[in-house]
Amino acid sequence: MKNAVLVFLICWTNFLFASVEMTRVDPQLFIHQAKVNFDSISSSNETLKQTMVKYLFDNDLIDHIGTKAYDSNAKFTNYYKQYHTLYRLIDLNSDGIPELIFNGYVAEGDDREYLQIFNSKQGIVNQIYNEIGHLLAYKIHPNTKEILLFHHQYPCCVNASHNLNRLRLINGKFQIVKRYFLGRDKDMVGPFFPKKSKFSGSFKTLNQKSKLYWSPAIVEKDAWKSRSATNVIASYDSLTVYTVLSKEKSWQFVLMKGAPMVEKNSVINPVNFTDTWIYGWMKEE
């Protein structure tokens, strides 16, 4: 844990004077029938929650300020008083054993949140997920009653990349469906999203090679200061599958369900998006 703390401190120092971008988005724009009331699916077993957190604390398995990772004399009562509201119990895989979920800030001066998830087997608590970002929404699988979580990883510093991961717990590991979009609070031409999305469930295929943009207009100068003159995310080949979520004049807000073409690109590296769906704007064919 000491090595992990050292790495954390180095990263924390690097980001101390950096700012995060667009940390909150409307889940209804990206997820069909997204739910956000996590209290309604959380267990009220405070004793179990406290027991699991204490196991992590006593065994030096969490690196939050106020734990033994920073002070060998740290007291659990002080830590739990500060952090207990950031923990919740949710049975993600409907097996009767709830997972422990932490989401929040772990250190003063770091404006990035962390999503950390732990499972429990025979009294032993293990971490199974640990990423920057926050818990955006969830859905309940209609057949299995599993809880599918949606994790929003927002950008920091000069970046504009947002990852929206759907997490499904299977056999102790997360199956992840990856989605992606672009957006910044400054230095980038918007708007990035429509006012409302409509999920029809229908799909289309491109008739020809087409460009995907991050805003509903063709911008050819200073679209993203110091990064890209145009607002093109990537190009897609004909027959690529996509779904339309909104329309504004001659533009469509879409979710591309195929890989972008591998071409020279100053915004993304298309090679890294073979299994990632991208949201963006496209001229109506």
Side-chain angles (χ1 to χ4, degrees), residues 16 30 32 56 60 83 100 104 111 123 142 211 237 246 257:
L16 189 59
F30 307 97
H32 183 222
L56 296 173
D60 197 14
Y83 285 91
L100 178 67
D111 55 3
K211 293 180 179 179
D237 207 348
S246 185
K257 297 194 172 185

Side-chain angles (χ1 to χ4, degrees), residues 30 151-155 159-166 177-183 188 192-193 212-214 224 227 232-234 236 253-256 260 265-270 272-273 275-281:
F30 307 97
H151 172 214
H152 175 209
Q153 294 176 295
Y154 42 75
N159 295 316
S161 295
H162 297 254
N163 294 288
L164 181 56
N165 301 322
R166 193 201 73 177
V177 175
K178 303 175 184 178
R179 305 180 191 184
Y180 177 91
F181 57 90
L182 287 163
M188 196 172 184
F192 306 103
F193 321 122
L212 183 70
Y213 301 80
W214 69 66
W224 182 357
R227 180 68 176 267
V232 176
I233 300 174
Y236 286 82
F253 184 66
V254 302
L255 175 59
M256 304 302 298
N265 193 312
S266 62
V267 176
I268 67 170
N269 183 354
N272 296 332
F273 287 81
D275 61 347
T276 301
W277 299 347
I278 303 180
Y279 296 92
W281 295 90

Side-chain angles (χ1 to χ4, degrees), residues 1 10-11 48 70 99 134 152 187 252 280:
M1 177 58 73
I10 292 173
C11 294
L48 176 60
Y70 293 91
E99 281 65 45
H134 83 106
H152 175 209
D187 299 331
Q252 302 176 125

Side-chain angles (χ1 to χ4, degrees), residues 78-91:
N78 296 335
Y79 169 79
Y80 196 70
K81 182 179 180 180
Q82 180 179 354
Y83 285 91
H84 75 279
T85 59
L86 301 179
Y87 285 97
R88 66 173 67 245
L89 293 172
I90 301 177
D91 185 0

